[in-house]
Amino acid sequence: MSQNNKGILLESGTNELEIVEFGVGNNKFGINVIKVKEIINPVPVTTVPHAHPSVEGIITLRGEVLPVVNMSTVLNFPPSQDPKHDKFIVCEFNKTKIVFHVHTVSQIHRISWNQIEKPNEMYTGLESQIIGVIKMKDEMVLLLDYEKIVVDINPDSGINVDRLKNLGPRERSNKKLVIAEDSALLRKLLEETLEEAGYGMLTFFENGQDALDYLEGIVSSGRNITDVVQLVITDIEMPKMDGHHLTKRIKDNKDLKVLPVIIFSSLITDDLRHKGEVVGATEQVSKPEIVELVKFIDKHVL
């Protein structure tokens, strides 16, 4: 099944997404359609010596060599009961192509980000792979942190403080940044790297709704927004309110629209870059390009 339904990409800031529902064991999981290039039947996998335990091996697809990640191993679930009916989900994000080996693929759901609940740390913990829980009729569909799964396998693909060294010595900045990012891992990495880059005045929110409430609260208290916040950085995929909708709400607000908004997401592709432009994003940077992000922050606040 090739993923050709790009209709949702034509709309901007609707706070909706489409997910592909897939199964591993008895559990249902979801992945944003935008990450999915196509879904294919399994093909022979070439094993690679000394690979990460979750990496089953590599395949060749239309001339490209792609790693295959076995989701049973990632999730610590039993292997497939019926391997010949398994599916390969070919994905692209973080400027990387990767294949997720799952047991079943059932359907595509169109949902709103506000239908997605943040998981409780009581049953997930900081290092959880679950970033959202979607209650649908009689079942729960779990949204996984696919970026974290990839970074766990290949740490070099993530945000890295060392990349900032080519910027040279950095001055401390008193500029205040608001950051909307739902992943605890990414919030920690952003805090470390931006601190290293001289930006220590950071206020983090786990979703776009909380960030917007904070910004609107400043304005409603009678203060000038630019006296309190100088720039907003937002992820795209977040429960309650996604980054495109947050950007649209900021840019549609006469008191907030002066704020530069940088979308920092693993989903910055040609299709999605257009979507960010429509909602008024000042800049768009693909994760994990932290140096590019810092350069844009410098450009707009220094």
Side-chain angles (χ1 to χ4, degrees):
M1 172 179 120
S2 181
Q3 196 278 102
N4 291 321
N5 180 7
K6 299 274 185 176
I8 194 164
L9 297 180
L10 302 176
E11 302 165 31
S12 299
T14 61
N15 209 37
E16 290 180 308
L17 77 157
E18 289 178 321
I19 59 162
V20 175
E21 181 188 318
F22 66 87
V24 179
N26 295 321
N27 280 60
K28 300 292 184 190
F29 300 94
I31 184 167
N32 195 331
V33 164
I34 290 166
K35 287 187 165 87
V36 178
K37 302 295 285 181
E38 60 184 314
I39 298 163
I40 61 173
N41 291 321
V43 296
V45 176
T46 303
T47 54
V48 179
H50 309 299
H52 186 280
S54 297
V55 176
E56 204 172 314
I58 53 176
I59 63 168
T60 304
L61 188 63
R62 285 186 285 283
E64 283 189 282
V65 177
L66 305 177
V68 178
V69 172
N70 191 321
M71 292 302 285
S72 294
T73 313
V74 167
L75 299 165
N76 203 19
F77 282 10
S80 174
Q81 299 291 307
D82 192 7
K84 66 179 182 295
H85 288 122
D86 286 4
K87 295 292 180 191
F88 282 4
I89 304 179
V90 183
C91 296
E92 183 174 14
F93 54 91
N94 274 9
K95 296 187 172 177
T96 302
K97 282 189 181 168
I98 192 162
V99 179
F100 292 121
H101 176 180
V102 304
H103 298 170
T104 59
V105 173
S106 48
Q107 58 190 313
I108 291 177
H109 302 282
R110 184 164 184 158
I111 58 170
S112 167
W113 281 105
N114 61 24
Q115 285 176 252
I116 302 171
E117 291 188 16
K118 183 180 182 294
N120 189 315
E121 285 187 10
M122 175 78 78
Y123 58 82
T124 60
L126 179 68
E127 296 302 311
S128 170
Q129 291 156 330
I130 305 169
I131 53 170
V133 180
I134 311 163
K135 290 185 281 194
M136 304 183 65
K137 294 179 188 159
D138 304 329
E139 62 183 10
M140 283 194 289
V141 177
L142 304 179
L143 272 188
L144 298 175
D145 189 342
Y146 298 96
E147 286 83 358
K148 181 179 185 301
I149 290 168
V150 172
V151 170
D152 286 347
I153 292 169
N154 177 20
D156 288 343
S157 68
I159 291 172
N160 191 325
V161 176
D162 290 345
R163 296 183 188 197
L164 295 173
K165 286 180 179 161
N166 65 1
L167 289 175
R170 303 282 300 176
E171 299 273 318
R172 305 308 299 162
S173 170
N174 63 354
K175 301 297 184 180
K176 300 182 186 74
L177 315 183
V178 163
I179 301 167
E181 167 61 66
D182 66 314
S183 163
L185 173 77
L186 262 294
R187 286 197 300 274
K188 186 164 174 285
L189 288 172
L190 276 170
E191 187 171 18
E192 288 170 4
T193 47
L194 292 177
E195 175 76 39
E196 185 75 16
Y199 294 105
M201 311 280 280
L202 308 172
T203 306
F204 283 91
F205 296 96
E206 294 181 0
N207 62 69
Q209 183 66 62
D210 291 350
L212 184 65
D213 290 348
Y214 172 74
L215 297 172
E216 288 180 341
I218 293 168
V219 170
S220 64
S221 71
R223 288 174 290 174
N224 189 327
I225 189 66
T226 51
D227 292 340
V228 186
V229 176
Q230 280 78 56
L231 181 135
V232 175
I233 299 166
T234 181
D235 188 18
I236 292 177
E237 296 184 287
M238 296 180 289
K240 292 191 181 176
M241 183 185 290
D242 73 354
H244 283 136
H245 193 64
L246 170 62
T247 305
K248 185 174 189 299
R249 293 284 294 272
I250 290 171
K251 294 302 178 180
D252 284 351
N253 184 311
K254 64 178 173 50
D255 297 309
L256 297 178
K257 65 182 181 183
V258 64
L259 285 174
V261 179
I262 301 176
I263 295 178
F264 184 56
S265 167
S266 63
L267 297 181
I268 302 298
T269 60
D270 290 341
D271 284 328
L272 276 180
R273 190 171 290 281
H274 164 71
K275 205 171 177 188
E277 287 166 359
V278 168
V279 293
T282 314
E283 307 285 0
Q284 299 182 75
V285 184
S286 175
K287 290 176 183 172
E289 304 295 338
I290 190 72
V291 173
E292 198 179 337
L293 176 65
V294 170
K295 285 178 178 174
F296 281 136
I297 299 171
D298 292 351
K299 173 182 165 184
H300 292 287
V301 302
L302 292 186

